[in-house]
Amino acid sequence: MENASEQEEKAFCDAVWDGDHERVAAMLDTGKFDPNGFRHLYGKATHLHAAACRGFEKIVKILIEHHANPNAPLHLQQGAYGAYRIYGGYGYARGAYARAEGDTPLHVAVRAGSASCVGLL
């Protein structure tokens, strides 16, 4: 199976960030998208980090069903400091911040107050 283009990857990230669970599932079913993929900010936040911080239970479940790693650590790039927002280029709705190297999607879901996502993770 071929890999997704950069434009397709952005569309997938947008679908995760927007909470479009039907589109996320359909895109993952093509086999072109990595459920453990990430977006850059000061480091790496996975799609699962993003869905957890937004409280998107259906997307968290879909990503896990497609073998996303619920223990994926968040990595800060050298020189990054303090708390930062996940998917910084997209704005921020829920106030969940990654606070440390190694934060998992569970850490982010707890900070977001998303009990349903915490239960899945």
Side-chain angles (χ1 to χ4, degrees), residues 102-116:
D103 274 1
T104 66
L106 177 60
H107 293 117
V108 176
V110 167
R111 285 193 194 98
S114 178
S116 59

Side-chain angles (χ1 to χ4, degrees), residues 5-57:
S5 69
E6 189 174 325
Q7 184 175 7
E8 290 171 320
E9 285 288 347
K10 183 181 181 318
F12 182 73
C13 290
D14 288 345
V16 170
W17 189 251
D18 293 340
D20 189 343
H21 66 275
E22 291 176 350
R23 188 168 182 208
V24 169
M27 293 174 91
L28 283 169
D29 286 343
T30 69
K32 293 171 66 172
F33 299 90
D34 180 4
N36 290 300
F38 60 88
R39 294 282 298 185
H40 283 281
L41 183 54
Y42 290 112
K44 297 178 184 178
T46 68
H47 301 303
L48 198 51
H49 283 96
C53 83
R54 301 277 293 187
F56 294 147
E57 178 183 358

Side-chain angles (χ1 to χ4, degrees), residues 62-106:
I62 290 165
L63 288 166
I64 290 172
E65 288 171 349
H66 283 83
H67 308 290
N69 180 2
N71 298 311
L74 199 133
H75 296 288
L76 303 177
Q77 291 180 352
Q78 187 174 1
Y81 61 90
Y84 62 91
R85 295 176 181 174
I86 296 199
Y87 276 39
Y90 288 83
Y92 212 73
R94 295 187 63 99
Y97 287 82
R99 298 200 188 278
E101 177 83 15
D103 274 1
T104 66
L106 177 60

